[in-house]
Amino acid sequence: QKEVEQNSGPLSVPEGAIASLNCTYSDRGSQSFFWYRQYSGKSPELIMFIYSNGDKEDGRFTAQLNKASQYVSLLIRDSQPSDSATYLCAVHRDTDKLIFGTGTRLQVFP
Amino acid sequence: KAGVTQTPRYLIKTRGQQVTLSCSPISGHRSVSWYQQTPGQGLQFLFEYFSETQRNKGNFPGRFSGRQFSNSRSEMNVSTLELGDSALYLCASSPTGDEQYFGPGTRLTVT
């Protein structure tokens, strides 16, 4: 079992729709959860982080964490073509290394 | 604050050579991590340095090494380059090792 799992996609959504990206993790001791966006040919960019169960909203982005189910998700409201990128989920515990999933490719079509 | 900087941005080397990549973290960040990214393997962790000490290490051969200086700047070295070392090498800095901020990367091509 991979430590952090994501569906590779592509996830295709029409412009204006809600894109839902999901991630599961195996280590119950994980404490911090991150979402990165990576455009083709560019480096990953941190867009959201969440530490506590529940929802955290930042603009059009909402991160959701459910530690009991070991599940973290990212919702993108009013999706735009400029949101088309690969979204990486990352999980952290104490002073251990940050563990990345392989990413979900999102395509937003006009 | 200025972001993470990496030099050089692009590099072409010949198999068997060695290479040194440099990373300057965000001011005040004490943790620097290095990653290798390839289309087939995704983002793979190489190592993390915190206050000049290697804190975590990934599953890479000993040809890959790194260090961190007292000003938090970091270098990674790859010796005896192989064709499979061609990749985007990313440096990320963090105040604690938690949320990480990536530099633009160094694209290494080994011929």
Side-chain angles (χ1 to χ4, degrees), chain B residues 13-64:
Chain B
K13 289 287 189 178
T14 302
R15 195 169 41 180
Q17 289 185 314
Q18 75 165 19
V19 66
T20 299
L21 311 181
S22 182
C23 172
S24 291
I26 294 171
S27 178
H29 286 193
R30 296 165 65 187
S31 166
V32 173
S33 297
W34 288 89
Y35 297 85
Q36 181 196 67
Q37 189 172 39
T38 58
Q41 298 296 320
L43 199 61
Q44 292 187 285
F45 173 77
L46 281 155
F47 28 68
E48 179 202 4
Y49 287 87
F50 186 86
S51 294
E52 301 180 66
T53 301
Q54 188 179 86
R55 184 159 71 173
N56 291 292
K57 188 177 188 303
N59 297 320
F60 277 81
R63 300 185 297 108
F64 292 82

Side-chain angles (χ1 to χ4, degrees), chain B residues 70-99:
Chain B
S70 58
N71 61 0
S72 292
R73 192 177 67 85
S74 178
E75 290 181 346
M76 69 162 281
N77 184 77
V78 187
S79 62
T80 319
L81 283 166
E82 300 177 359
L83 295 178
D85 296 333
S86 294
L88 179 67
Y89 289 88
L90 292 160
C91 167
S93 79
S94 171
T96 60
D98 205 17
E99 78 274 18

